[in-house]
Each structure stands twice: as C-alpha cells, then as structure tokens.
Amino acid sequence: MTTTKGKAFDTKLFKRLLQFAKPYKWQLIIAGIGAILLSVFAALRPNYMEKAIDIGIEDKDPESLLYYITLMGLVLLGQVTFRLLFIYYSNWIGQQVIRDIRVKLFEHMLKFKMQYYDTSAVGRLVTRAVGDIETIASIFSQGLFMIIADLLTMGVVLGFMFWKSWQLTLIVLAVFPIILYATRVFQRAMKVAFEEVRTQVANLNTFVQERVTGMKIVQIFNREAIEHKKFGDINKKHMDAWNKTVWYNSIFFPIAEMCTSITIGLIVWYGGLHVAESEAITLGVITAFISYIQMLFTPLRQIADKFNTLQMGMVAANRVFGILDTESQIKDIGTKELTKIKGEITFENVHFSYIPDEEILKGVSFTAQPGQTIAIVGSTGAGKSTIINLLSRFYEIDSGVISIDGTSIADVKLHQLRKEIAVVLQDVFLFADSILNNITLNDPSISEETVIASAKEIGVHKFISSLPDGYHYNVKERGAMLSSGQRQLIAFLRAYVSNPSILILDEATSSVDSYSEQLIQKAIGKITKGRTSIVIAHRLATIKKADLIMVMEKGKIVEKGTHKELLKNEGGHYLALYEAQFTEAETV
C-alpha cells in the first residue's frame, strides 16, 4: 500500500492513477489542446485591450478602437469555445476513470476471503467503494487538468509581460516568491488535514451503517441516548477535521489577495511615474499589466485550491489502492473440473485456525459416501460451521487434505467447486428484491417456470403464492417483510433450483415455528434425496434419520455412528446432549 501522508504530492501514486486514463488518450489530447488554446486566448485579451487604449483612445482613432474591440470579442468567443471542450472532456475522463476503478475494486472485493470481511467494517468498505472513488473523479475534473490549464496560462502570461515591459515584470516577480511560499505551506498543511477528513468520514459512515442495521437492538436495550451521544462525538470529530481545512483557507486566501493588491499598487505607482519617461510603459501597458497580474495571481490561488482537490483525490486513491493491493483472495490455481460428481467427501487430518496458533480444527478426518446424509452436532465453538466453510473454500486450511470424489478441492477451479455446493444457513440473507430474483440470484438460465415447478415439488408454492404479487413480491432489505421461517423456505428453494451435487444445511431449523418446521422438514427430505448432504443441527430430533452422525468437541470428532448406535454409548457425548434436550423438552 502506497502511503501519502506527510507528502505534498505522491508521484508514484499519481502515475499509477494515470494508468486508468490511458484508454482515453484521444479525449486527453482534446482536453490538452483545449487547455493550451485557452491559455493563449486568455493572454491575448489584455494585449488587444492595451492596443485599444493606446491607439484607439489615446490617438483618438475610432476605426482602430472598433478593430481591437472586435478582436477582443473574437478572443472571448474562442475562450468560451475551448473552455467548453476542456471542461466537458476533463469531467468525462474523470467519470470513465472512476467507473473503471470501481468495477476493478468491486471485482477484487468479490474474491476476498471471508476472513477479510470478518475483520473489516462494512461502512468503511462502502466509503472506499463509493465516496472515495467519487473523490478520485475530482482529480481529473477539478484537479489535474485545471492545474495544467492554470500553469499554461501563467506561463503564457509571463511571456507576454516580459514582451511588454521587463521592468514591470520584475516588480511582479519580486512579490511572487511570497505567494509561492505561502502556497507551498498551505498545500502541505491541507494534505494532512484532508487525510484526517477522509478518516473521520469513514468512521462516521461505519457508525451510521452499523446502528441503522442494528436499530432493533439499540431500541430493545434502550440505548438511544447512549448511541446519540456517541454519534455526537464522532460527528464533532468530523466537523473539527473540516474546520481545520476552513482555518487554513481563511489564512491563505487573504494573504494571496493582499499580495495581489500590493503588486497592482506597485505597478500603478512605478508605471505612473515612468509613463512620460519611457516609450515602453504606456497607459495601455499599465492597464494590461493590471489584467495580467490578476491572470497570474488568480490561477496561482486557484492552483492552491485545485491542488487541495487533487490531494484529497490522492488521499482517496491511496485508500482505494490500499484495498486493491490487499492480498486476501483464495488462490484459484486449480485446473481440474469435477464432472459427473458422485459426492464422496473426504477430510484427511485437517487442521485449521482463524488466528495463528489457535487451532479450531485439530486433525479432523471423516468420509461421507455418495448420497449419504451426514449430521454434525456439538457444543458452540466446537468447529461445526468451520467444516462447511472449508469445504466451500471460504478459508484456506493449515494442513491436511479435503477432497471430493478423490480430487483435492485445492486442485479444482473455485467457481466450478462452489457451483456444485449449495448452502442453507441459519441466518438467511435476502436482497431488497423480488422473491424470484432472490431465488435465482438473477441467473438467466433459471426460468420462472422452473422456480414454480421446484417450489411445488418441495411444498413452498402455496406459501409464496399467498403473498402480494407472489413470486414478484419485494421482500425489502434483508427480507424484512418475511418471517424467519419464510426466509428459510426461500433459502431452501434457492438451494434446490441451483441443482447442487452437495448440499449443506447449517442450523437450518433452529429458529422457526412448528408449522414452518414441518414445511422445512418436507423440503429437506426432497432436496437431500440422491445428494450427499451435511447437516449441522442443534435439534437432535431433526437428524435421527441421518446415515452418520458425528459429534464434535473442541475441534475434534469424538464420536461417530447412527442415532441408535450413539444412544447405546453409555457416558457418551451424544447421549448426554440428547438427554439434556429431552429433559428440557419435558420441562417445557
């Protein structure tokens, strides 16, 4: 990750950013030509104004006056035309660039390990993908090209000034170092300030996103006042960060204005004293110099402002590239494809840890035969869900081998591996979309007719049809318009229509009502038929018919067998779990 903090400008980061503008070289050329001609036309206008005063007015020549006024009008027209081209294409390039960066960033984020999302704040990632990338656009629309145009204008203006009067130009240049120094100090201070601004924006977004998502918890536990105070503190830090930039602006711009006024005063004083003595200094030249000074100093002030915009964009680019440079992807180096999968799953001495030296799985080994239903039970934290996460390669194992039909999953193309595995989680995630799109996940190969037929097969068609708009009912964000049982049924149908070779059910019936559970049990019977299935269950009553039950404790498989076999094991873990649940049910 490139670091820009403390630097006024990071050339390496800027070159990397420019790589995204390379595909639009013709638009860059047009914008560049516009900037060059814009600077020339800007410098010509005071020149013709000088002629109009010295020849048209001083010499009382109305024809010359009309001629130079007409030239000034044509120059003004040229300025407007090329400014239009310049502004349009510089903004156009900026939008193209951020589109390309955003697509690349999102594609990169799609491949991250689950571990990355386990440790990264969602609000911060949203800030990077949306707010920071929008800020990058300003590098092209308001920063980079504007600075180039202003520098070109200043260079052309200085050339005209030396041509008109080197004495007056030296007076202007005598004041110039002061404003240059002030600009440099201003840029460095603003760089640090903008870094703090982006940090506080990310903190604010993260806080708001988490509290809005967890608003029910906030209200249930009566934490409105506490969260309001926390928000006030974070918001104040955000305000203070911005106020620091306001403070720097309030110091710099008055200094710049004062330098401009002093320079104009010196030009009028010196030029006025020497009008009669020097042919090179005339009233028209003095008037032209007043315009030139404005054209020289104003762009310099604007460059400072635009440089702030450029720096803010660079800070944003640094943050975005920080994510792009993050190596947190599962290595998709597999070359094999699983064809005609039977569904044999094998774990051989698998070790795994989320945190180094803190093993979650400690040498797990088992084999699921094709078409079998394997149930995994155990206490919280025993490693049950970790097994299914590893089978889908959401995480990389530390050692051992996981294979399907004798082929290590590390040798299989990641996309093809996950295509053959369907997972139904306890916490079902639904997008703010129709039921149909949540089932198909916008896969064009799955038709609505197929979805309806599948729903009828597993017994959920009646429930979906009872909703307003049926399969086109919008469930809103995270499926808020449905009960937990209804969301679970949608998840089962989603898994069924994907036609997987291997099915995984993770606590899929732990938080549903009895009616929904009946529908779910029917759906389970249908979708597990003929498929290798792994069921993680809390309710032991739901796995009595499993072909093999494995009991896990502290990252190890401590018992294996059928329901009847395990109940015969006096003093066994499974019997203890079963008796505890039976006693609990009797008490209720």
Side-chain angles (χ1 to χ4, degrees):
M1 178 176 170
T2 306
T3 304
T4 60
K5 192 166 184 175
K7 294 183 180 180
F9 189 76
D10 192 312
T11 307
K12 185 178 179 181
L13 180 65
F14 186 66
K15 286 181 178 178
R16 184 177 179 183
L17 189 61
L18 282 181
Q19 295 297 315
F20 287 91
K22 276 189 175 181
Y24 312 106
K25 62 180 180 179
W26 288 111
Q27 289 80 7
L28 279 168
I29 291 171
I30 293 173
I33 292 172
I36 293 169
L37 293 176
L38 196 58
S39 62
V40 173
F41 280 118
L44 281 174
R45 193 155 43 87
N47 178 62
Y48 291 137
M49 182 173 63
E50 172 205 333
K51 301 294 184 183
I53 293 173
D54 287 344
I55 299 174
I57 297 177
E58 288 274 321
D59 296 345
K60 297 181 180 180
D61 185 346
E63 290 184 1
S64 296
L65 179 62
L66 179 61
Y67 172 73
Y68 287 116
I69 292 296
T70 303
L71 287 178
M72 288 174 64
L74 292 173
V75 166
L76 184 60
L77 182 62
Q79 273 187 277
V80 171
T81 302
F82 287 106
R83 183 171 291 277
L84 186 149
L85 288 173
F86 171 72
I87 291 175
Y88 174 78
Y89 280 107
S90 60
N91 279 273
W92 185 88
I93 292 168
Q95 292 303 315
Q96 300 301 312
V97 167
I98 66 168
R99 180 200 62 184
D100 295 344
I101 294 176
R102 186 176 282 127
V103 168
K104 185 172 182 178
L105 177 66
F106 189 69
E107 181 184 25
H108 191 69
M109 290 169 62
L110 286 173
K111 297 175 183 177
F112 278 156
K113 300 176 185 176
M114 289 299 105
Q115 194 165 6
Y116 179 85
Y117 294 104
D118 293 341
T119 57
S120 300
V122 175
R124 196 174 296 276
L125 292 176
V126 171
T127 300
R128 301 291 177 266
V130 181
D132 283 339
I133 289 184
E134 285 295 334
T135 306
I136 292 174
S138 63
I139 292 177
F140 297 91
S141 61
Q142 302 173 39
L144 170 67
F145 292 153
M146 288 292 184
I147 289 174
I148 292 173
D150 286 343
L151 288 173
L152 284 171
T153 299
M154 292 170 64
V156 173
V157 164
L158 272 174
F160 270 83
M161 289 171 70
F162 272 110
W163 177 43
K164 297 294 180 185
S165 173
W166 63 269
Q167 299 99 326
L168 295 179
T169 304
L170 290 178
I171 292 174
V172 174
L173 293 179
V175 183
F176 209 62
I178 299 174
I179 195 168
L180 278 176
Y181 177 75
T183 301
R184 183 67 172 170
V185 172
F186 178 62
Q187 288 167 354
R188 289 185 177 276
M190 290 297 282
K191 176 68 174 64
V192 177
F194 280 139
E195 180 77 32
E196 178 64 18
V197 165
R198 297 314 302 169
T199 298
Q200 295 306 326
V201 167
N203 290 340
L204 192 62
N205 285 345
T206 300
F207 184 89
V208 172
Q209 189 274 335
E210 288 181 348
R211 268 57 183 184
V212 170
T213 303
M215 188 57 70
K216 183 180 289 187
I217 298 299
V218 171
Q219 294 183 353
I220 286 175
F221 289 93
N222 196 30
R223 288 184 58 86
E224 292 91 338
I226 296 173
E227 298 300 335
H228 181 265
K229 184 180 183 303
K230 284 185 177 180
F231 178 77
D233 293 340
I234 294 174
N235 201 29
K236 184 179 184 301
K237 290 180 180 178
H238 177 257
M239 179 192 69
D240 290 342
W242 272 110
N243 280 344
K244 193 175 290 185
T245 69
V246 173
W247 169 245
Y248 293 147
N249 276 293
S250 64
I251 294 174
F252 172 73
F253 286 103
I255 291 174
E257 288 290 343
M258 182 177 66
C259 290
T260 302
S261 300
I262 290 172
T263 307
I264 291 174
L266 290 173
I267 290 295
V268 173
W269 170 74
Y270 181 85
L273 291 177
H274 293 81
V275 165
E277 300 174 6
S278 173
E279 293 182 0
I281 301 177
T282 64
L283 184 59
V285 169
I286 294 174
T287 306
F289 259 78
I290 292 173
S291 295
Y292 283 139
I293 290 169
Q294 295 287 353
M295 294 171 65
L296 189 65
F297 282 20
T298 299
L300 186 60
R301 294 199 304 271
Q302 290 176 348
I303 284 176
D305 195 30
K306 297 299 183 293
F307 204 89
N308 294 336
T309 301
L310 178 61
Q311 286 180 323
M312 200 162 186
M314 294 289 281
V315 170
N318 185 52
R319 293 174 182 275
V320 171
F321 287 141
I323 297 179
L324 285 173
D325 292 339
T326 300
E327 295 295 334
S328 185
Q329 289 91 354
I330 296 290
K331 293 181 180 178
D332 189 9
I333 56 176
T335 57
K336 299 180 181 179
E337 290 194 9
L338 298 171
T339 56
K340 297 181 180 180
I341 293 179
K342 296 177 182 178
E344 182 186 77
I345 302 170
T346 303
F347 274 59
E348 299 178 33
N349 195 30
V350 174
H351 290 259
F352 172 76
S353 54
Y354 293 105
I355 301 171
D357 301 324
E358 294 183 19
E359 280 195 333
I360 300 298
L361 297 186
K362 304 172 182 177
V364 171
S365 298
F366 70 89
T367 297
Q369 298 299 331
Q372 273 191 333
T373 295
I374 306 294
I376 305 176
V377 299
S379 58
T380 301
K384 306 185 298 296
S385 295
T386 299
I387 286 179
I388 63 172
N389 286 332
L390 296 179
L391 182 60
S392 298
R393 287 199 73 197
F394 291 131
Y395 300 86
E396 295 279 26
I397 61 176
D398 297 336
S399 62
V401 178
I402 302 173
S403 59
I404 296 176
D405 291 350
T407 302
S408 171
I409 60 173
D411 297 329
V412 180
K413 293 179 180 179
L414 192 60
H415 173 75
Q416 204 259 337
L417 171 69
R418 291 179 180 171
K419 184 180 180 182
E420 297 296 336
I421 302 173
V423 182
V424 180
L425 300 171
Q426 176 185 0
D427 183 18
V428 178
F429 186 92
L430 297 180
F431 296 95
D433 205 337
S434 67
I435 286 180
L436 179 64
N437 288 339
N438 269 290
I439 293 168
T440 66
L441 297 177
N442 295 297
D443 185 343
S445 66
I446 304 175
S447 66
E448 184 173 353
E449 290 73 21
T450 301
V451 172
I452 293 173
S454 300
K456 290 178 179 178
E457 287 178 20
I458 67 173
V460 299
H461 174 69
K462 184 178 179 181
F463 138 65
I464 297 175
S465 299
S466 67
L467 297 171
D469 299 323
Y471 288 84
H472 297 279
Y473 178 64
N474 192 310
V475 300
K476 305 302 180 185
E477 187 174 359
R478 300 183 68 88
M481 303 305 292
L482 301 177
S483 69
S484 59
Q486 290 172 329
R487 290 196 295 271
Q488 203 68 261
L489 290 169
I490 297 299
F492 274 100
L493 185 53
R494 177 195 285 170
Y496 188 55
V497 299
S498 69
N499 193 27
S501 300
I502 297 170
L503 180 69
I504 296 172
L505 307 178
D506 186 3
E507 301 280 12
T509 63
S510 62
S511 59
V512 297
D513 57 79
S514 57
Y515 175 72
S516 295
E517 185 174 355
Q518 291 176 6
L519 291 176
I520 288 172
Q521 290 299 337
K522 179 181 178 181
I524 290 175
K526 183 67 179 178
I527 67 177
T528 57
K529 187 176 181 181
R531 293 185 176 90
T532 305
S533 304
I534 297 179
V535 181
I536 295 175
H538 174 70
R539 297 181 185 178
L540 303 187
T542 63
I543 58 168
K544 288 182 179 180
K545 297 180 181 180
D547 299 301
L548 177 68
I549 299 173
M550 301 187 303
V551 183
M552 293 195 67
E553 194 67 37
K554 296 181 179 179
K556 295 182 178 181
I557 297 175
V558 293
E559 285 182 322
K560 292 181 183 178
T562 64
H563 175 69
K564 290 182 180 180
E565 290 171 349
L566 292 173
L567 287 181
K568 294 177 183 179
N569 187 6
E570 294 291 337
H573 290 79
Y574 185 81
L575 180 60
L577 289 171
Y578 186 80
E579 288 178 344
Q581 286 194 14
F582 181 78
T583 303
E584 182 182 342
E586 286 292 315
T587 303
V588 174

